[in-house]
Amino acid sequence: MTNEELHNEMIAAMKAKDKVRLSIVRQVMGEVKNLEVNERRDATEEDVNSMIKRLIKQTSETLEMSRKAGNNQERTETLEQQVSILESLLPAQLSGDALVELIEQTIAELGATTRKDMGRVMGALNKATGGNFDKAAAAKEVGSRLS
């Protein structure tokens, strides 16, 4: 997601009067602004996506703690909603047949044959997709194809 797309998301949330979505988008935009100020450069699409992933991880951890505590159902529901909003801001993850096809292509390009090559294959997949794929499914598929 680019900075411009993030700004458009904020405007759409304002028009829809969706306070939770607006809050999340503003949080991401604040993180992007901090990066731009601290590193004195414009944030790339990759930077924005990595910030969204980091916020998903943080919010998910808080959600797990809230579920374990089990004393505030409203907070737990809000956190679940925040995680789903953050996930919707990311591009769709590569999975299924498209992922299998990319794995086959990557294995062929690298000439990978043994399990020792699994790290190289996963690294190449990560680079090719920007880390936006189902890693567990990919690892299982790569492992089954390499002997």
Side-chain angles (χ1 to χ4, degrees):
M1 174 162 278
T2 63
N3 237 348
E4 187 177 317
E5 290 170 334
L6 205 55
H7 185 73
N8 291 339
E9 279 288 327
M10 183 181 73
I11 291 171
M14 288 172 142
K15 286 181 180 178
K17 296 183 180 6
D18 187 347
K19 291 181 183 179
V20 177
R21 187 174 197 81
L22 179 61
S23 168
I24 293 296
V25 172
R26 281 185 172 158
Q27 184 180 7
V28 173
M29 288 181 74
E31 294 286 328
V32 170
K33 193 62 156 173
N34 284 341
L35 174 98
E36 290 177 340
V37 169
N38 292 338
E39 296 187 12
R40 293 184 178 94
R41 65 178 177 89
D42 289 337
T44 63
E45 186 172 349
E46 202 171 285
D47 292 329
V48 174
N49 287 340
S50 69
M51 276 180 219
I52 292 171
K53 288 176 185 175
R54 192 178 79 236
L55 287 171
I56 288 172
K57 183 179 178 192
Q58 290 172 348
T59 308
S60 294
E61 288 171 357
T62 306
L63 175 61
E64 286 305 310
M65 286 186 249
S66 178
R67 283 181 179 151
K68 285 179 183 175
N71 56 1
N72 191 345
Q73 186 62 30
E74 185 178 322
R75 172 131 172 86
T76 303
E77 289 171 3
T78 302
L79 289 169
E80 288 170 347
Q81 189 178 10
Q82 289 175 351
V83 169
S84 69
I85 290 169
L86 284 167
E87 288 173 343
S88 74
L89 295 176
L90 287 174
Q93 276 199 331
L94 188 64
S95 61
D97 293 338
L99 180 61
V100 171
E101 188 175 313
L102 182 62
I103 288 170
E104 290 172 354
Q105 180 183 347
T106 304
I107 289 173
E109 286 175 5
L110 295 175
T113 56
T114 66
R115 284 207 181 261
K116 290 181 181 179
D117 298 323
M118 188 163 177
R120 286 189 322 139
V121 173
M122 292 299 288
L125 287 171
N126 200 23
K127 189 174 183 180
T129 63
N132 201 23
F133 65 100
D134 185 353
K135 290 167 186 60
K140 184 177 179 183
E141 185 68 31
V142 171
S144 71
R145 293 182 183 278
L146 300 176
S147 53

PDB file of all heavy atoms in Angstrom, residues 70-91:
ATOM      1  N   GLY A  70      -9.403 -12.666  29.650  1.00  0.00           N
ATOM      2  CA  GLY A  70     -10.821 -12.984  29.561  1.00  0.00           C
ATOM      3  C   GLY A  70     -11.768 -12.100  30.350  1.00  0.00           C
ATOM      4  O   GLY A  70     -12.911 -12.460  30.577  1.00  0.00           O
ATOM      5  N   ASN A  71     -11.316 -10.935  30.767  1.00  0.00           N
ATOM      6  CA  ASN A  71     -12.178 -10.112  31.605  1.00  0.00           C
ATOM      7  C   ASN A  71     -12.828  -8.936  30.887  1.00  0.00           C
ATOM      8  O   ASN A  71     -13.707  -8.292  31.439  1.00  0.00           O
ATOM      9  CB  ASN A  71     -11.410  -9.606  32.831  1.00  0.00           C
ATOM     10  CG  ASN A  71     -10.146  -8.853  32.460  1.00  0.00           C
ATOM     11  OD1 ASN A  71      -9.842  -8.687  31.293  1.00  0.00           O
ATOM     12  ND2 ASN A  71      -9.396  -8.424  33.459  1.00  0.00           N
ATOM     13  N   ASN A  72     -12.423  -8.628  29.665  1.00  0.00           N
ATOM     14  CA  ASN A  72     -13.002  -7.489  28.973  1.00  0.00           C
ATOM     15  C   ASN A  72     -13.344  -7.883  27.533  1.00  0.00           C
ATOM     16  O   ASN A  72     -12.539  -7.731  26.620  1.00  0.00           O
ATOM     17  CB  ASN A  72     -12.027  -6.298  28.996  1.00  0.00           C
ATOM     18  CG  ASN A  72     -12.674  -5.016  28.534  1.00  0.00           C
ATOM     19  OD1 ASN A  72     -13.747  -5.016  27.944  1.00  0.00           O
ATOM     20  ND2 ASN A  72     -12.013  -3.899  28.802  1.00  0.00           N
ATOM     21  N   GLN A  73     -14.543  -8.383  27.340  1.00  0.00           N
ATOM     22  CA  GLN A  73     -14.975  -8.877  26.038  1.00  0.00           C
ATOM     23  C   GLN A  73     -15.018  -7.764  24.994  1.00  0.00           C
ATOM     24  O   GLN A  73     -14.676  -7.978  23.838  1.00  0.00           O
ATOM     25  CB  GLN A  73     -16.350  -9.545  26.163  1.00  0.00           C
ATOM     26  CG  GLN A  73     -16.832 -10.212  24.903  1.00  0.00           C
ATOM     27  CD  GLN A  73     -15.931 -11.350  24.450  1.00  0.00           C
ATOM     28  OE1 GLN A  73     -15.299 -12.020  25.251  1.00  0.00           O
ATOM     29  NE2 GLN A  73     -15.877 -11.564  23.154  1.00  0.00           N
ATOM     30  N   GLU A  74     -15.415  -6.570  25.400  1.00  0.00           N
ATOM     31  CA  GLU A  74     -15.507  -5.443  24.458  1.00  0.00           C
ATOM     32  C   GLU A  74     -14.132  -5.096  23.895  1.00  0.00           C
ATOM     33  O   GLU A  74     -13.981  -4.867  22.694  1.00  0.00           O
ATOM     34  CB  GLU A  74     -16.112  -4.230  25.166  1.00  0.00           C
ATOM     35  CG  GLU A  74     -16.360  -3.063  24.238  1.00  0.00           C
ATOM     36  CD  GLU A  74     -17.009  -1.893  24.971  1.00  0.00           C
ATOM     37  OE1 GLU A  74     -17.862  -2.125  25.838  1.00  0.00           O
ATOM     38  OE2 GLU A  74     -16.645  -0.756  24.637  1.00  0.00           O
ATOM     39  N   ARG A  75     -13.124  -5.075  24.753  1.00  0.00           N
ATOM     40  CA  ARG A  75     -11.748  -4.783  24.303  1.00  0.00           C
ATOM     41  C   ARG A  75     -11.258  -5.865  23.350  1.00  0.00           C
ATOM     42  O   ARG A  75     -10.629  -5.557  22.337  1.00  0.00           O
ATOM     43  CB  ARG A  75     -10.819  -4.685  25.512  1.00  0.00           C
ATOM     44  CG  ARG A  75      -9.344  -4.582  25.157  1.00  0.00           C
ATOM     45  CD  ARG A  75      -8.664  -3.467  25.887  1.00  0.00           C
ATOM     46  NE  ARG A  75      -7.224  -3.468  25.716  1.00  0.00           N
ATOM     47  CZ  ARG A  75      -6.610  -2.882  24.704  1.00  0.00           C
ATOM     48  NH1 ARG A  75      -7.316  -2.258  23.779  1.00  0.00           N
ATOM     49  NH2 ARG A  75      -5.307  -2.899  24.610  1.00  0.00           N
ATOM     50  N   THR A  76     -11.550  -7.108  23.647  1.00  0.00           N
ATOM     51  CA  THR A  76     -11.142  -8.215  22.792  1.00  0.00           C
ATOM     52  C   THR A  76     -11.774  -8.084  21.408  1.00  0.00           C
ATOM     53  O   THR A  76     -11.093  -8.259  20.392  1.00  0.00           O
ATOM     54  CB  THR A  76     -11.531  -9.566  23.432  1.00  0.00           C
ATOM     55  OG1 THR A  76     -10.937  -9.650  24.727  1.00  0.00           O
ATOM     56  CG2 THR A  76     -11.074 -10.729  22.592  1.00  0.00           C
ATOM     57  N   GLU A  77     -13.052  -7.745  21.362  1.00  0.00           N
ATOM     58  CA  GLU A  77     -13.734  -7.574  20.076  1.00  0.00           C
ATOM     59  C   GLU A  77     -13.138  -6.412  19.285  1.00  0.00           C
ATOM     60  O   GLU A  77     -12.980  -6.500  18.065  1.00  0.00           O
ATOM     61  CB  GLU A  77     -15.225  -7.360  20.304  1.00  0.00           C
ATOM     62  CG  GLU A  77     -15.938  -8.610  20.775  1.00  0.00           C
ATOM     63  CD  GLU A  77     -17.379  -8.354  21.206  1.00  0.00           C
ATOM     64  OE1 GLU A  77     -17.851  -7.201  21.095  1.00  0.00           O
ATOM     65  OE2 GLU A  77     -18.024  -9.319  21.666  1.00  0.00           O
ATOM     66  N   THR A  78     -12.797  -5.323  19.973  1.00  0.00           N
ATOM     67  CA  THR A  78     -12.191  -4.173  19.308  1.00  0.00           C
ATOM     68  C   THR A  78     -10.836  -4.555  18.721  1.00  0.00           C
ATOM     69  O   THR A  78     -10.522  -4.187  17.577  1.00  0.00           O
ATOM     70  CB  THR A  78     -12.015  -2.998  20.298  1.00  0.00           C
ATOM     71  OG1 THR A  78     -13.286  -2.663  20.832  1.00  0.00           O
ATOM     72  CG2 THR A  78     -11.407  -1.794  19.626  1.00  0.00           C
ATOM     73  N   LEU A  79     -10.044  -5.290  19.464  1.00  0.00           N
ATOM     74  CA  LEU A  79      -8.736  -5.736  18.978  1.00  0.00           C
ATOM     75  C   LEU A  79      -8.877  -6.666  17.772  1.00  0.00           C
ATOM     76  O   LEU A  79      -8.109  -6.564  16.812  1.00  0.00           O
ATOM     77  CB  LEU A  79      -7.948  -6.424  20.092  1.00  0.00           C
ATOM     78  CG  LEU A  79      -7.423  -5.507  21.194  1.00  0.00           C
ATOM     79  CD1 LEU A  79      -6.902  -6.326  22.364  1.00  0.00           C
ATOM     80  CD2 LEU A  79      -6.338  -4.585  20.661  1.00  0.00           C
ATOM     81  N   GLU A  80      -9.870  -7.560  17.799  1.00  0.00           N
ATOM     82  CA  GLU A  80     -10.111  -8.441  16.651  1.00  0.00           C
ATOM     83  C   GLU A  80     -10.458  -7.620  15.413  1.00  0.00           C
ATOM     84  O   GLU A  80      -9.986  -7.900  14.312  1.00  0.00           O
ATOM     85  CB  GLU A  80     -11.244  -9.422  16.959  1.00  0.00           C
ATOM     86  CG  GLU A  80     -10.866 -10.504  17.946  1.00  0.00           C
ATOM     87  CD  GLU A  80     -12.051 -11.331  18.420  1.00  0.00           C
ATOM     88  OE1 GLU A  80     -13.216 -10.927  18.190  1.00  0.00           O
ATOM     89  OE2 GLU A  80     -11.809 -12.388  19.032  1.00  0.00           O
ATOM     90  N   GLN A  81     -11.281  -6.604  15.613  1.00  0.00           N
ATOM     91  CA  GLN A  81     -11.671  -5.730  14.509  1.00  0.00           C
ATOM     92  C   GLN A  81     -10.450  -4.973  13.978  1.00  0.00           C
ATOM     93  O   GLN A  81     -10.289  -4.829  12.766  1.00  0.00           O
ATOM     94  CB  GLN A  81     -12.749  -4.755  14.985  1.00  0.00           C
ATOM     95  CG  GLN A  81     -13.373  -3.944  13.884  1.00  0.00           C
ATOM     96  CD  GLN A  81     -14.483  -3.033  14.407  1.00  0.00           C
ATOM     97  OE1 GLN A  81     -14.668  -2.861  15.600  1.00  0.00           O
ATOM     98  NE2 GLN A  81     -15.197  -2.427  13.488  1.00  0.00           N
ATOM     99  N   GLN A  82      -9.577  -4.510  14.868  1.00  0.00           N
ATOM    100  CA  GLN A  82      -8.380  -3.785  14.447  1.00  0.00           C
ATOM    101  C   GLN A  82      -7.454  -4.676  13.626  1.00  0.00           C
ATOM    102  O   GLN A  82      -6.927  -4.236  12.593  1.00  0.00           O
ATOM    103  CB  GLN A  82      -7.637  -3.237  15.673  1.00  0.00           C
ATOM    104  CG  GLN A  82      -8.348  -2.093  16.341  1.00  0.00           C
ATOM    105  CD  GLN A  82      -7.659  -1.645  17.622  1.00  0.00           C
ATOM    106  OE1 GLN A  82      -6.738  -2.299  18.114  1.00  0.00           O
ATOM    107  NE2 GLN A  82      -8.110  -0.529  18.162  1.00  0.00           N
ATOM    108  N   VAL A  83      -7.278  -5.914  14.050  1.00  0.00           N
ATOM    109  CA  VAL A  83      -6.421  -6.844  13.307  1.00  0.00           C
ATOM    110  C   VAL A  83      -6.992  -7.084  11.910  1.00  0.00           C
ATOM    111  O   VAL A  83      -6.263  -7.072  10.917  1.00  0.00           O
ATOM    112  CB  VAL A  83      -6.241  -8.182  14.068  1.00  0.00           C
ATOM    113  CG1 VAL A  83      -5.594  -9.238  13.190  1.00  0.00           C
ATOM    114  CG2 VAL A  83      -5.427  -7.970  15.331  1.00  0.00           C
ATOM    115  N   SER A  84      -8.304  -7.271  11.813  1.00  0.00           N
ATOM    116  CA  SER A  84      -8.906  -7.519  10.493  1.00  0.00           C
ATOM    117  C   SER A  84      -8.781  -6.294   9.593  1.00  0.00           C
ATOM    118  O   SER A  84      -8.554  -6.430   8.388  1.00  0.00           O
ATOM    119  CB  SER A  84     -10.356  -7.967  10.624  1.00  0.00           C
ATOM    120  OG  SER A  84     -11.160  -6.917  11.085  1.00  0.00           O
ATOM    121  N   ILE A  85      -8.889  -5.100  10.160  1.00  0.00           N
ATOM    122  CA  ILE A  85      -8.725  -3.872   9.365  1.00  0.00           C
ATOM    123  C   ILE A  85      -7.292  -3.771   8.866  1.00  0.00           C
ATOM    124  O   ILE A  85      -7.045  -3.475   7.689  1.00  0.00           O
ATOM    125  CB  ILE A  85      -9.121  -2.625  10.177  1.00  0.00           C
ATOM    126  CG1 ILE A  85     -10.625  -2.598  10.406  1.00  0.00           C
ATOM    127  CG2 ILE A  85      -8.665  -1.348   9.475  1.00  0.00           C
ATOM    128  CD1 ILE A  85     -11.093  -1.556  11.404  1.00  0.00           C
ATOM    129  N   LEU A  86      -6.323  -4.020   9.748  1.00  0.00           N
ATOM    130  CA  LEU A  86      -4.920  -3.958   9.344  1.00  0.00           C
ATOM    131  C   LEU A  86      -4.618  -4.976   8.248  1.00  0.00           C
ATOM    132  O   LEU A  86      -3.914  -4.672   7.283  1.00  0.00           O
ATOM    133  CB  LEU A  86      -4.011  -4.200  10.551  1.00  0.00           C
ATOM    134  CG  LEU A  86      -3.877  -3.029  11.521  1.00  0.00           C
ATOM    135  CD1 LEU A  86      -3.228  -3.479  12.821  1.00  0.00           C
ATOM    136  CD2 LEU A  86      -3.093  -1.894  10.895  1.00  0.00           C
ATOM    137  N   GLU A  87      -5.156  -6.189   8.380  1.00  0.00           N
ATOM    138  CA  GLU A  87      -4.931  -7.213   7.360  1.00  0.00           C
ATOM    139  C   GLU A  87      -5.541  -6.816   6.024  1.00  0.00           C
ATOM    140  O   GLU A  87      -5.005  -7.144   4.974  1.00  0.00           O
ATOM    141  CB  GLU A  87      -5.473  -8.561   7.836  1.00  0.00           C
ATOM    142  CG  GLU A  87      -4.638  -9.179   8.929  1.00  0.00           C
ATOM    143  CD  GLU A  87      -5.244 -10.431   9.534  1.00  0.00           C
ATOM    144  OE1 GLU A  87      -6.466 -10.675   9.346  1.00  0.00           O
ATOM    145  OE2 GLU A  87      -4.509 -11.157  10.217  1.00  0.00           O
ATOM    146  N   SER A  88      -6.658  -6.090   6.065  1.00  0.00           N
ATOM    147  CA  SER A  88      -7.295  -5.660   4.817  1.00  0.00           C
ATOM    148  C   SER A  88      -6.465  -4.591   4.101  1.00  0.00           C
ATOM    149  O   SER A  88      -6.632  -4.384   2.897  1.00  0.00           O
ATOM    150  CB  SER A  88      -8.711  -5.146   5.079  1.00  0.00           C
ATOM    151  OG  SER A  88      -8.677  -3.878   5.695  1.00  0.00           O
ATOM    152  N   LEU A  89      -5.578  -3.918   4.821  1.00  0.00           N
ATOM    153  CA  LEU A  89      -4.737  -2.890   4.208  1.00  0.00           C
ATOM    154  C   LEU A  89      -3.566  -3.489   3.425  1.00  0.00           C
ATOM    155  O   LEU A  89      -3.004  -2.836   2.556  1.00  0.00           O
ATOM    156  CB  LEU A  89      -4.194  -1.931   5.283  1.00  0.00           C
ATOM    157  CG  LEU A  89      -5.223  -1.083   6.019  1.00  0.00           C
ATOM    158  CD1 LEU A  89      -4.546  -0.268   7.115  1.00  0.00           C
ATOM    159  CD2 LEU A  89      -5.980  -0.171   5.073  1.00  0.00           C
ATOM    160  N   LEU A  90      -3.225  -4.731   3.747  1.00  0.00           N
ATOM    161  CA  LEU A  90      -2.135  -5.399   3.044  1.00  0.00           C
ATOM    162  C   LEU A  90      -2.617  -5.969   1.718  1.00  0.00           C
ATOM    163  O   LEU A  90      -3.782  -6.328   1.587  1.00  0.00           O
ATOM    164  CB  LEU A  90      -1.575  -6.547   3.897  1.00  0.00           C
ATOM    165  CG  LEU A  90      -0.749  -6.170   5.099  1.00  0.00           C
ATOM    166  CD1 LEU A  90      -0.396  -7.420   5.897  1.00  0.00           C
ATOM    167  CD2 LEU A  90       0.517  -5.446   4.694  1.00  0.00           C
ATOM    168  N   PRO A  91      -1.716  -6.097   0.743  1.00  0.00           N
ATOM    169  CA  PRO A  91      -2.113  -6.766  -0.505  1.00  0.00           C
ATOM    170  C   PRO A  91      -2.422  -8.233  -0.228  1.00  0.00           C
ATOM    171  O   PRO A  91      -1.926  -8.808   0.740  1.00  0.00           O
ATOM    172  CB  PRO A  91      -0.877  -6.623  -1.403  1.00  0.00           C
ATOM    173  CG  PRO A  91       0.193  -6.032  -0.585  1.00  0.00           C
ATOM    174  CD  PRO A  91      -0.366  -5.610   0.725  1.00  0.00           C
TER     175      PRO A  91
END
